[in-house]
Amino acid sequence: MIKPNKYRDNTTATLNSGSVGKTVRVAGWVENIRDHGGIMFIDLRDHYGSVQITVQNESLLENVRREASVGISGKVVRRAPETFNPKIGTGEIEIVAETLDILGQVYENLPFEPSASKETNEETRLKYRFLDLRNKAVHDAVVLRSKLISFMRKQMDALGFLEMQTPILTASSPEGARDFLIPSRKHRGKFYALPQAPQIFKQLLMVSGFDRYYQIAPCFRDEDARADRTAGEFYQLDLEMAYATQDDVFDAGEAVISAAIEKFGGKNAFDNPAPFPRITFKEALLKYGTDKPDLRNPLFIIDVSDIFADSDFKPFAGKTVRAVRVPGMGVRSKTFFKNMEDFALSIGMKGLGYVKVDGDGAYLGPIDKFLTDGAREEIRARAGLKPDDALYFIADGSETRAAKFAGEIRAEVAARLGIIKKDGFAACWITDFPFYEEGDGGKPQFGHNPFSMPQGELDALNNKNPFDILAHQYDFVLNGTELASGAVRNHNAEVMVKAFEIAGFSEEDVKAKFGALYSAFKFGAPPHAGMAFGIDRLLMILSGEENVREVIAFPLNSNAQDVLLGAPGEASETQLRETHIKIR
């Protein structure tokens, strides 16, 4: 509710059929001016919605242009029933203008119509973002952002978490992405870094005796933009819990995310409500070909490598062979199969084999002649093949590539058939990530988060093959998008030193790069665990957008530029000298 002032005593949110007969003052932007044969109409838009203004005295419209900011006073009347507009909250009323004041004039031609801004190229939209944000869909996405963050805060408070803040100016940390560096004026040749995440600080807060922490945290990474990743900064709901297990984190995360989607997801509901399925990393790669599976896609992958181990068919013999059953696809045209083969070639596959099952259960297709009767029956049983089904085969000498290709075929064929449920939400946890992965020369390097606790702790680090060690690491995946990542943290200095030693870092390196954690872990560090939900990605999913920049008020463009304010820009010679920098 607004307090009346000289500009307005009502907004479009407070006007309704109960306002009929009242004289009101409203203010907003002229979205449209319409001439209906001697009577003029204005569609007036404010933050809350729009209302129709009837202008019987045309002189009131002198010098009024679309998108001008105006103040209007007049009497509220009921519209004729046949002219009701059910699409807007004020659709049963209109205001007959008595006065109109131009509060903010438009002096130049509009670069685009705000109502059609999403049809304009992105560079122009971002250059005039203040006009783009007047578009109802764009405006509503930013409003949703505010409401979601406010709701998340209330949920976290109710769960007993304490909101805290961590520094923005900090030290550079090798966390997987490039840092943004800030030169120091007072300390020549030294730099601050913007935090890639509050990782170290939130762990230190646990060591400091705080029990449950959260914040709406800005994170800064100098990465190239993607549809689901901004170039520069993003925000996450960051949480950490002392004396907590993986299950404790899952319970808290599921409570918040379930409530948020139930509130802001509209009529859509979870296909699988919480508790969400837990899928190991290994199982995800086998069954879905990705560690970010979209469970709205009903197709899954099976392993048939053993069936072809001694096959005479050279492209499959001794290879990793995966298969995807597609129910009812056997009746599709040759063109459909040819287009899928073209897609397979475009992603780096050497071909895409398949068999179809006819109405009598017989196999058809190019791969059938290479199958023995025993292989046919084993494949039928393992894949659950039925008449009119098709089965795609994906083979590669590398198990990693075979899994990736199978995942892409699974996703593409489902998209082309239109069998992915688009109006719902499906979530899962991915667990048990490898602690190490192969780096240069086959040497172990951290697979994900170096601050995770290895399963088996020091005993595993001392006695197991590094590539067999799993991490207490987990991701939360929603509709095929990695929405959150977290871990049971390492809180033991000995484990920390040994884990980094295997990855090629000495104890001195650990002290130099992570001295605060190294020191803190020697003073009674509690077991702790946490995670962080990507707010921008969640908003992208909730609002049905395909690009994360649509849910950020002032995003950088795809080339990491702020075309509205002109960043990055040049620094003056004085600024460079003050920070001891010379441009090479």
Side-chain angles (χ1 to χ4, degrees):
M1 191 71 178
I2 65 161
K3 180 181 178 180
N5 60 26
K6 67 178 182 179
Y7 299 115
R8 63 184 183 180
D9 54 23
N10 275 269
T11 68
T12 59
T14 58
L15 294 173
N16 51 47
S17 58
S19 306
V20 172
K22 296 179 180 178
T23 297
V24 299
R25 293 194 308 276
V26 292
W29 288 266
V30 177
E31 186 166 67
N32 198 14
I33 302 174
R34 293 175 280 120
D35 185 348
H36 284 206
I39 298 180
M40 308 292 288
F41 294 94
I42 288 176
D43 295 323
L44 186 76
R45 181 190 67 245
D46 65 8
H47 169 78
Y48 306 96
S50 62
V51 64
Q52 178 171 284
I53 310 293
T54 300
V55 183
Q56 298 172 336
N57 180 0
E58 289 191 30
S59 65
L60 293 178
L61 292 176
E62 186 176 352
N63 297 323
V64 175
R65 302 179 66 179
R66 280 181 296 111
E67 292 307 317
S69 175
V70 298
I72 294 172
S73 65
K75 181 172 288 188
V76 179
V77 300
R78 186 180 298 277
R79 294 169 66 166
E82 64 272 17
T83 67
F84 283 180
N85 183 356
K87 295 181 180 179
I88 59 176
T90 59
E92 295 183 9
I93 61 170
E94 60 187 2
I95 299 172
V96 180
E98 297 173 0
T99 66
L100 188 153
D101 298 309
I102 299 175
L103 305 176
Q105 182 60 283
V106 174
Y107 297 99
E108 299 178 7
N109 291 331
L110 295 170
F112 51 79
E113 295 289 341
S115 60
S117 69
K118 297 191 75 170
E119 301 167 18
T120 306
N121 72 76
E122 186 178 66
E123 291 300 289
T124 304
R125 289 179 62 193
L126 294 182
K127 181 178 179 181
Y128 297 95
R129 185 64 166 174
F130 45 85
L131 292 179
D132 185 32
L133 285 167
R134 296 183 189 178
N135 178 294
K136 186 178 187 313
V138 183
H139 197 87
D140 286 351
V142 177
V143 172
L144 175 62
R145 184 186 190 93
S146 174
K147 290 181 177 179
L148 175 67
I149 290 174
S150 176
F151 180 81
M152 283 181 156
R153 281 194 163 103
K154 291 175 183 177
Q155 293 293 306
M156 297 304 293
D157 291 343
L159 289 171
F161 284 79
L162 184 67
E163 183 172 12
M164 305 184 76
Q165 291 76 45
T166 53
I168 297 300
L169 292 180
T170 184
S172 179
S173 174
E175 295 182 38
R178 295 184 188 89
D179 285 322
F180 283 102
L181 299 177
I182 301 174
S184 169
R185 175 182 60 84
K186 293 179 68 68
H187 304 281
R188 179 184 177 90
K190 295 187 178 182
F191 295 81
Y192 302 100
L194 301 181
Q196 294 186 29
Q199 179 71 48
I200 293 177
F201 288 112
K202 66 183 181 181
Q203 290 192 249
L204 292 174
L205 285 170
M206 297 299 100
V207 180
S208 302
F210 297 97
D211 194 61
R212 290 188 165 199
Y213 139 100
Y214 86 94
Q215 72 170 310
I216 306 298
C219 303
F220 305 89
R221 298 178 186 179
D222 188 2
E223 297 179 307
D224 292 337
R226 297 190 314 229
D228 65 348
R229 184 177 73 192
T230 57
E233 66 184 279
F234 62 92
Y235 282 78
Q236 60 189 32
L237 169 62
D238 211 82
L239 63 94
E240 199 77 14
M241 307 166 69
Y243 301 107
T245 66
Q246 175 176 286
D247 287 345
D248 295 322
V249 177
F250 285 8
D251 288 346
E254 287 178 346
V256 175
I257 204 69
S258 293
I261 290 179
E262 287 171 7
K263 182 172 180 63
F264 298 107
K267 63 181 180 180
N268 303 321
F270 275 111
D271 291 339
N272 57 320
F276 302 121
R278 301 182 184 188
I279 305 169
T280 66
F281 174 80
K282 184 176 181 179
E283 180 188 356
L285 291 189
L286 172 59
K287 193 172 181 180
Y288 306 106
T290 175
D291 60 357
K292 294 177 275 291
D294 188 346
L295 299 188
R296 299 173 303 167
N297 180 346
L299 305 181
F300 59 88
I301 303 162
I302 60 172
D303 186 37
V304 293
S305 305
D306 58 311
I307 296 175
F308 295 96
D310 300 318
S311 173
D312 294 332
F313 186 42
K314 291 185 179 179
F316 285 10
K319 303 284 182 65
T320 297
V321 187
R322 301 285 162 82
V324 181
R325 173 199 167 212
V326 190
M329 205 189 94
V331 300
R332 291 281 175 163
S333 66
K334 290 182 179 179
T335 301
F336 187 95
F337 284 90
K338 176 64 168 61
N339 290 340
M340 277 301 301
E341 184 178 3
D342 291 341
F343 170 78
L345 295 173
S346 74
I347 62 174
M349 293 177 60
K350 295 179 181 179
L352 183 60
Y354 66 89
V355 293
K356 298 189 290 184
V357 183
D358 68 14
D360 297 323
Y363 283 15
L364 303 171
I367 301 299
D368 178 55
K369 60 185 176 182
F370 299 104
L371 299 176
T372 64
D373 288 342
R376 290 188 186 93
E377 290 311 309
E378 179 60 27
I379 289 171
R380 189 190 309 275
R382 198 175 297 186
L385 288 176
K386 297 178 181 178
D388 295 332
D389 286 353
L391 188 72
Y392 277 120
F393 294 96
I394 300 94
D396 198 278
S398 162
E399 183 177 352
T400 301
R401 285 197 303 270
K404 175 179 177 293
F405 289 147
E408 293 186 60
I409 294 299
R410 169 184 176 264
E412 183 68 18
V413 72
R416 294 190 182 206
L417 291 173
I419 60 176
I420 300 174
K421 185 178 179 182
K422 293 294 187 181
D423 60 348
F425 299 94
C428 65
W429 297 98
I430 305 297
T431 65
D432 301 333
F433 283 82
F435 193 71
Y436 295 105
E437 63 185 14
E438 285 193 24
D440 294 338
K443 295 179 180 179
Q445 65 180 24
F446 290 112
H448 209 58
N449 187 331
F451 303 109
S452 304
M453 178 67 82
Q455 295 184 23
E457 302 186 16
L458 195 59
D459 180 67
L461 295 174
N462 284 326
N463 298 305
K464 293 187 72 170
N465 182 328
F467 300 116
D468 292 334
I469 299 173
L470 300 179
H472 284 294
Q473 174 77 40
Y474 38 83
D475 284 354
F476 179 79
V477 178
L478 180 66
N479 291 2
T481 295
E482 180 192 318
L483 195 63
S485 185
V488 174
R489 316 298 184 186
N490 172 33
H491 66 282
N492 184 304
E494 286 186 86
V495 173
M496 184 182 189
V497 170
K498 185 62 181 180
F500 275 89
E501 176 188 312
I502 293 172
F505 297 88
S506 68
E507 185 169 0
E508 292 304 313
D509 292 330
V510 174
K511 289 180 182 178
K513 295 178 181 295
F514 310 107
L517 277 182
Y518 177 82
S519 175
F521 288 171
K522 293 185 174 183
F523 292 91
H528 54 283
M531 66 184 309
F533 285 97
I535 291 175
D536 307 297
R537 287 183 180 178
L538 177 56
L539 282 162
M540 184 179 74
I541 294 171
L542 288 173
S543 38
E545 295 289 354
E546 295 184 356
N547 194 303
V548 73
R549 293 191 291 278
E550 294 290 349
V551 298
I552 300 170
F554 297 103
L556 301 180
N557 67 8
S558 60
N559 200 33
Q561 295 170 303
D562 177 351
V563 294
L564 177 60
L565 298 184
E570 295 182 354
S572 69
E573 181 61 28
T574 299
Q575 290 173 310
L576 292 175
R577 286 181 178 275
E578 284 179 341
T579 51
H580 320 291
I581 288 179
K582 181 177 181 180
I583 304 299
R584 294 182 179 178

